[in-house]
């Protein structure tokens, strides 16, 4: 369907669904035009969230609270902080990956990615492994310290999956609202304690210093867990599969200085947030078409970014698409730098031995909103 989406270039109306955008310049025009497009009205993500965590979230998405919060947490999402975080929180696990591969062991990248992402996003929010264990009523430091993060992933994924079927409308039916609130409420169980003691260098700690009410801090913690878990795990696992399937891992091993290009290409080709919604709040002309207030717009990110071509480690930065996989304008992904730090860490670990890997077994994860692998077992070749 996303391949067919290219036919929407630059913008096309589909009855009952609204406008589909398959052009990078038009997409950016919409992202940058907050006078005519909204993220909180029916048809966009903020509208979905308001039903789950409360209407106050509209200020967090689009009101003065949005600008203030982004300004006050900016340094937590900068490269220096996210590189340190990756080193501190998942450095040992990445090193273990290198050791396991080098020893000839088979490693399930999909399973490891789910744990790596859970650990890093929790830390960014200000939740300790003990907080996560408490959410799922598990003993901290039990036999398997990764187990709380595996459960966390499934839990967050179930919440994300509730967004399936929102193509025509983001208004959830009462059963979905109830389930989403239960899942979100459970995620927030440890937030009050974490909010009290979280370091100022975490999102919750920063919220406390900002004087943001606990309820709002909880909502933000849930939102970040949802925004940054499935998307990043999908990018990690699919990046590894892409390097294998395209044969481009050989190009990377021969030119390790292209590693940042491999990361960028992986994000372009996977584009895990493959479709982004906006609602039209005032009549406006876009690419010669008249959009009316109340209509919906879907930006076909994956279709746009993949029109550039196949995954190539030697492809330079593409100015036209820029970083569209992270959106654009005032809502440009806050976690972009964490994503880069983490994908870089994973690729470093994967290529450390200087030898190519082979895929031993793969299975797709079924019925999920963000496509990914259930299993991707790899080992170093020969
Ligand atoms: C490969 C992984 C990721 C992709 C592809 C991705 C993509 C996106 C996109 C497209 C948006 C804009 C949505 C819109 O305009 O409606 C967005 C927003 C956001 N992302 Fe990400 N994201 C990723 C990972 C993360 C991570 C790891 C975090 C943090 C832990 C994160 C936090 C956020 C937040 C907080 C926003 C809302 C920003 C705002 O409204 O100002 N994301 N992301």
């Amino acid at each position: 369907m996303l391949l067919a989406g290219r036919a929407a270039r630059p913008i096309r109306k589909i009855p009952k669904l609204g406008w589909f955008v398959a052009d990078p310049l038009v997409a950016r025009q919409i992202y940058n035009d907050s006078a005519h497009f909204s993220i909180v009205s029916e048809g966009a993500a903020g509208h979905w969230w308001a039903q789950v965590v409360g209407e106050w979230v509209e200020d967090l998405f689009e009101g003065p609270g949005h600008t203030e919060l982004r300004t006050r947490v900016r340094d937590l999402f900068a490269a220096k902080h996210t590189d340190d975080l990756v080193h501190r929180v998942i450095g040992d696990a990445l090193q273990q990956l290198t050791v396991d591969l080098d020893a000839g062991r088979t490693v399930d990248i999909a399973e490891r990615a789910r744990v790596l992402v859970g650990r890093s996003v929790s830390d960014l929010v200000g939740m300790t492994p003990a907080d996560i264990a408490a959410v799922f009523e598990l003993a901290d430091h039990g036999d398997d310290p990764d187990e709380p993060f595996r459960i966390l992933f499934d839990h967050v994924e179930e919440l994300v999956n509730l967004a399936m079927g929102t193509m025509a409308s983001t208004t959830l039916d009462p059963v979905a609202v109830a389930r989403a609130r239960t899942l979100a409420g459970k995620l927030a169980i440890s937030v009050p304690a974490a909010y009290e003691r979280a370091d100022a260098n975490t999102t919750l700690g920063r919220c406390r210093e900002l004087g943001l009410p606990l309820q709002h801090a909880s909502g933000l913690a849930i939102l970040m867990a949802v925004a940054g878990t499935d998307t990043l795990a999908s990018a990690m696992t699919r990046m590894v599969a892409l390097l294998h399937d395209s044969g481009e891992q050989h190009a990377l091993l021969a030119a390790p200085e292209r590693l940042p290009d491999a990361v960028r290409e992986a994000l372009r080709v996977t584009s895990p947030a493959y479709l982004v919604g906006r609602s039209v709040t005032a009549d406006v002309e876009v690419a010669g078409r008249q959009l009316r207030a109340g209509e919906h717009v879907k930006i076909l990110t994956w279709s746009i970014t993949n029109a550039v071509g196949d995954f190539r480690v030697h492809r330079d930065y593409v100015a036209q698409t820029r970083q569209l996989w992270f959106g654009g304008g005032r809502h440009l992904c806050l976690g972009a730098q964490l994503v880069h730090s983490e994908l870089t860490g994973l690729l470093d670990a994967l290529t450390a031995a200087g030898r190519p890997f082979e895929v031993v077994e793969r299975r797709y994860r079924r019925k999920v909103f963000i496509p990914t692998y259930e299993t991707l077992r790899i080992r170093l070749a020969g």
Side-chain angles (χ1 to χ4, degrees), residues 39 66 70 124 228 231 276 278 325-327 330-331 333 335 339:
I39 197 175
H66 179 254
R70 272 194 83 115
L124 184 75
T231 45
V276 176
R278 286 290 184 272
W325 45 90
F326 286 134
R330 60 192 302 219
H331 296 291
C333 177
V339 172

Side-chain angles (χ1 to χ4, degrees), residues 242-296:
L242 268 172
L243 276 164
H244 174 268
D245 299 348
S246 62
E248 285 287 287
Q249 58 166 328
H250 301 285
L252 180 60
L253 288 172
E257 72 284 2
R258 299 294 300 193
L259 195 142
D261 305 282
V263 167
R264 190 185 57 245
E265 276 291 283
L267 284 165
R268 180 182 67 76
V269 173
T270 59
S271 287
Y274 47 87
L275 185 147
V276 176
R278 286 290 184 272
S279 41
V280 184
T281 50
D283 294 359
V284 61
E285 186 180 316
V286 173
R289 311 298 299 271
Q290 281 299 323
L291 278 57
R292 303 277 173 221
E295 290 181 327
H296 296 177

Side-chain angles (χ1 to χ4, degrees), residues 61-181:
F61 266 112
E62 212 160 66
H66 179 254
T67 316
E68 188 184 5
L69 194 65
R70 272 194 83 115
T71 311
R72 298 289 284 267
V73 299
R74 185 166 295 146
D75 61 310
L76 303 182
F77 294 87
K80 182 183 167 345
H81 191 86
T82 59
D83 284 350
D84 284 355
L85 188 154
V86 165
H87 179 70
R88 178 172 48 82
V89 180
I90 57 169
D92 287 350
L94 290 171
Q95 214 171 350
Q96 188 60 46
L97 173 67
T98 304
V99 169
D100 286 344
L101 288 172
D102 209 26
R105 288 190 272 272
T106 298
V107 173
D108 184 352
I109 293 291
E111 192 271 339
R112 294 220 184 175
R114 294 194 278 270
V115 173
L116 292 173
V117 165
R119 286 189 177 279
S120 53
V121 173
S122 304
D123 190 87
L124 184 75
V125 170
M127 309 268 277
T128 62
D131 290 329
I132 303 299
V135 167
F136 301 111
E137 294 156 39
L138 297 169
D140 182 27
H141 304 303
D143 289 347
D144 182 356
D146 287 341
E147 185 60 4
F149 297 99
R150 287 192 203 99
I151 300 177
L152 175 69
F153 188 90
D154 292 345
H155 189 94
V156 170
E157 189 177 54
E158 186 184 344
L159 186 51
V160 171
N161 286 347
L162 289 170
M164 278 196 276
T166 53
M167 184 73 100
S169 164
T170 47
T171 302
L172 291 167
D173 67 60
V175 176
V177 171
R179 185 64 192 149
R181 286 185 184 160

